[in-house]
Amino acid sequence: MTAPTIAILIQPGPNPEIVVNALKAAFPNLVVIEEQPESQKLFIRRRAKKLGWVQALGQLATMVVSRYGKRFTTKRAAEILEEFGANPSVDPAIRRIAVPSANSPELLTALGEIRPVALLLVSCRIMKAQTLAATPCPVLNFHAGINPQYRGLQGGYWSRIERDEENFGGTVHLVDPGVDTGHVLYQQRVKPSKRDTMHTYPLLQTAASTGIIVEAMRDAAAGNLKPLKIAAPSRQWYHPPIWTWLWNGVTRGIW
């Protein structure tokens, strides 16, 4: 019997590659579709339109500082990779297709050629309703946060800020036109170390969640998806602005 073909849509980076390598072991016919990252200028303009320029620029400052701060967390990152047996390296043997974005005609063309039984989104743009409607297979997403309480960005960070570390983890869910609002399929909770920061939260959440990601894609390939009923408050989060991040870091030790 021929192994099913699944596809994963990512923006290049170590965390998505952890998922790619975990899936490759279970799905030898895996195909990776890579979208081009969105320009930071466009990202900030869109955020400013929604939240205002003060919040948008404050969030940009946090993102810049966070990028440079990663150099100080390499030891903790290595520990996480070893603990969960996660592999962030790029496997050149895996077929890869480049597309401009998750909502480009090229994506639908690629899916028509690949004909996957399921598509997984990891660290990529939100699919628009018309793209989702034209996708000829179930679409799942891995989210570094527990839904519906921590939709959007930096779910691990905000669960700590909210004194809700019991809901620090990752979610695999079906994709709908909303922001992480699709039906939950699996969740994986993990306890962060006191040494973890915003620089390592997503890595920890991703590495700890590879098992549920593989299980969800197996369910999708078998046509046996089992959405969960979760009664919890729903909220969308964003990057913390620089003043919020610094305040919580200095006063509470949450970075």
Side-chain angles (χ1 to χ4, degrees), residues 157-168:
Y157 173 82
W158 289 115
S159 71
R160 296 200 66 200
I161 295 301
E162 293 292 299
R163 295 181 171 85
D164 189 25
E165 286 191 8
E166 290 184 358
N167 284 315
F168 183 104

Side-chain angles (χ1 to χ4, degrees), residues 120 132 138-143 145-148 151 170-187 212 216 219 225-231 234:
L120 176 69
L132 189 60
V139 182
L140 285 64
N141 180 60
F142 169 67
H143 170 63
I146 295 297
N147 290 351
R151 300 184 294 107
T171 300
V172 182
H173 63 91
L174 292 169
V175 175
D176 66 13
V179 179
D180 300 322
T181 53
H183 292 301
V184 170
L185 299 171
Y186 287 93
Q187 292 183 324
I212 64 168
D219 290 348
L225 291 168
K226 300 180 286 291
L228 303 175
K229 292 183 179 180
I230 297 180
S234 178

Side-chain angles (χ1 to χ4, degrees), residues 28-160:
N29 292 335
L30 171 70
V31 179
V32 177
I33 305 174
E34 295 182 349
E35 72 164 2
Q36 296 175 4
E38 183 179 45
S39 72
Q40 203 165 66
K41 185 176 181 180
L42 180 60
F43 175 85
I44 293 302
R45 281 183 175 176
R46 191 176 68 249
R47 187 63 56 82
K49 185 176 181 180
K50 189 167 188 177
L51 301 176
W53 278 105
V54 172
Q55 282 289 321
L57 292 175
Q59 292 172 12
L60 175 62
T62 304
M63 293 162 64
V64 171
V65 172
S66 176
R67 182 179 303 172
Y68 285 104
K70 287 185 178 180
R71 67 185 67 184
F72 302 108
T73 60
T74 54
K75 184 176 180 180
R76 174 57 183 153
E79 291 174 355
I80 293 171
L81 295 176
E82 182 178 4
E83 178 181 357
F84 293 98
N87 179 9
S89 61
V90 175
D91 185 347
I94 299 176
R95 182 186 177 193
R96 294 174 185 263
I97 299 173
V99 300
S101 81
N103 295 294
S104 63
E106 289 87 344
L107 173 67
L108 295 177
T109 299
L111 292 175
E113 176 193 349
I114 301 165
R115 299 179 65 184
V117 295
L119 171 66
L120 176 69
L121 312 183
V122 180
S123 299
C124 62
R125 291 178 179 82
I126 295 173
M127 263 194 179
K128 294 180 180 178
Q130 55 266 40
T131 303
L132 189 60
T135 302
C137 64
V139 182
L140 285 64
N141 180 60
F142 169 67
H143 170 63
I146 295 297
N147 290 351
Q149 300 97 308
Y150 298 100
R151 300 184 294 107
L153 299 169
Q154 298 296 337
Y157 173 82
W158 289 115
S159 71
R160 296 200 66 200

